[in-house]
Amino acid sequence: MRNSKGSLMRPDPLPHSASHPVVTPLSPSVVYASETPDALDDQYEGRVHGYTYSREGHPNADVVAKRLDAMEGMSGGVVTGSGMAAVSAVLLGLTKTGDHVIGGNQLYGRSLRLMKEDLPRLGIETSLADPADIAAVRAAIRPETKMILVETVSNPTLAVADIDGLSALCKETGILLVVDNTFTTPRGFQPFDHGADIVIHSITKLLAGHSDVMLGYVVARDPALNERLSVFSVTTGMTPSPFDCWLAERGMLSFELRFERSQATAAALADHLAGMPGVKRVIYPTRKDHPDHDRAMDLLKGQGCNMVSFELEGGRAAANAFTRAADGLNFAPTLGDVGTTLSHPASSSHRALTPEERAGLGLSEGFFRVSVGLEDPAALLAVFSEAVAAAAAS
Ligand SMILES: *Cc1c(COP(=O)(O)O)cnc(C)c1O
């Protein structure tokens, strides 16, 4: 093994150190060499732990998975190359032709697309229902219904799903309850405490937090489902890159602090906007005027999230004036970044809908979703004051 001749034989051994690194080392190796065929048998047959080929698993992914497992209070979670890979692993890896899947009617856009286009193509029928309306979800259930996929707080209208009602319904009917916990994060909401069977995250958002990594995660209560999710993600090549996992771990070290700060600022921003001329309405889960206020207080334990949505008076012209005047805030379709970002559903995430469909969701040309970051709260409110005033004057 030793490369003593300075040839191309690998590896060069790392210099020995009696002390150890305080940061998780990055392990980009695709392959792992074994001592003997017997040693490889021990590994494959589970007598010892070891890596073989990084699509099948690598140390940096395992470090991130363990950290998220601890946050969600489960074990055996799988890290995937994106949040959508995690959604796909659940929807495609745990269903078969003839099954039926129910989705929340305001799921993340690509999750909706998977439900509407790809599952039906494979003979898996789907229905959408309002996850706050248990009677509507119950009415959508068929004998073949396998799972219900919902987000706790919806994008971008911040409606709060009736998770307890859904979990009671799923228990009664033997259907899996899958919760995409990206918006709320494990710090804001614990789906397994409320009867969820599977939890999904886009780590890309608040967990990694710096808009420089794309990763996802999925974990099930049932170890047999975790095994199936893991095998499916390895087979279909959903495995994440070690460097992305390494970056995500670094981001996650400050996640709790970032969450506290951004959600406190978001709550202040919601109240600030609500008092401003030119603002038609503000949506924030823990505000008294939120339609699901009581449920939000209960599920989110009195705290909100880092997202605030609001509607400006006036149409596209006001929206243009607003983003132009929102000095230093990126008008960009992401969330959970260290910097505050603005999203305008009518021109981005929901542009494929007809104006009537958008109106049905309350998404007018003046509607914005704000992902609140870590800026100085007073400075941030001042930027919003100026930008809303510019919109009102347009
Ligand atoms: C972003 C997002 C996803 C998809 O995650 P990616 O990492 O972008 O693939 C899924 N669900 C929700 C709620 C999201 O916000």
Side-chain angles (χ1 to χ4, degrees), residues 82-84 87 108 111 151 180 182-183 202 204-205 214-215 335:
S82 69
M84 277 317 299
V87 174
Y108 181 70
S111 301
E151 291 167 24
D180 180 337
T182 299
F183 257 52
S202 167
T204 313
K205 312 294 169 54
M214 188 156 271
L215 282 182
L335 65 106

Side-chain angles (χ1 to χ4, degrees), residues 138-370:
R138 184 185 285 278
I141 293 178
R142 304 177 191 174
E144 312 77 48
T145 305
K146 183 81 183 240
M147 62 175 68
I148 300 180
L149 167 65
V150 296
E151 291 167 24
T152 311
V153 173
S154 77
N155 177 24
T157 56
L158 313 185
V160 183
D162 183 355
I163 300 286
D164 291 332
L166 288 170
S167 113
L169 181 62
C170 285
K171 291 233 152 41
E172 177 195 326
T173 49
I175 294 171
L176 293 172
L177 178 59
V178 184
V179 176
D180 180 337
N181 202 25
T182 299
F183 257 52
T184 24
T185 81
R187 174 69 182 67
F189 180 61
Q190 297 265 287
F192 288 117
D193 289 351
H194 293 263
D197 296 295
I198 297 177
V199 170
I200 293 171
H201 280 286
S202 167
I203 297 176
T204 313
K205 312 294 169 54
L206 283 103
L207 287 166
H210 294 70
S211 294
D212 52 8
V213 172
M214 188 156 271
L215 282 182
Y217 165 85
V218 57
V219 67
R221 187 189 292 278
D222 176 357
L225 291 184
N226 278 332
E227 180 60 21
R228 286 173 61 188
L229 289 164
S230 165
V231 170
F232 184 79
S233 78
V234 168
T235 304
T236 54
M238 294 177 168
T239 318
S241 109
F243 182 57
D244 285 353
C245 293
W246 187 84
L247 274 177
E249 184 202 355
R250 186 182 203 268
M252 285 166 68
L253 293 174
S254 62
F255 161 68
E256 301 264 338
L257 275 175
R258 287 186 286 102
F259 179 88
E260 303 275 339
R261 168 68 174 253
S262 61
Q263 83 94 16
T265 308
L269 175 65
D271 290 341
H272 181 68
L273 286 168
M276 292 195 66
V279 174
K280 204 189 268 179
R281 64 180 175 133
V282 173
I283 311 175
Y284 191 69
T286 54
R287 272 181 60 83
K288 282 252 162 33
D289 55 6
H290 191 289
D292 307 322
H293 171 261
D294 291 347
R295 200 182 302 131
M297 294 303 278
D298 183 34
L299 293 182
L300 308 177
K301 302 199 179 78
Q303 56 191 357
C305 55
N306 81 312
M307 310 294 291
V308 181
S309 291
F310 69 100
E311 192 177 352
L312 291 169
E313 313 264 11
R316 177 60 71 92
N320 285 338
F322 175 77
T323 56
R324 227 178 264 127
D327 197 20
L329 308 186
N330 282 315
F331 170 44
T334 190
L335 65 106
D337 186 56
V338 290
T340 296
T341 51
L342 306 172
S343 148
H344 181 249
S347 65
S348 58
S349 55
H350 292 66
R351 67 176 301 131
L353 303 190
T354 63
E356 293 72 35
E357 286 174 318
R358 279 199 294 272
L361 291 171
L363 302 176
S364 70
E365 284 289 340
F367 191 102
F368 277 94
R369 183 201 75 185
V370 186

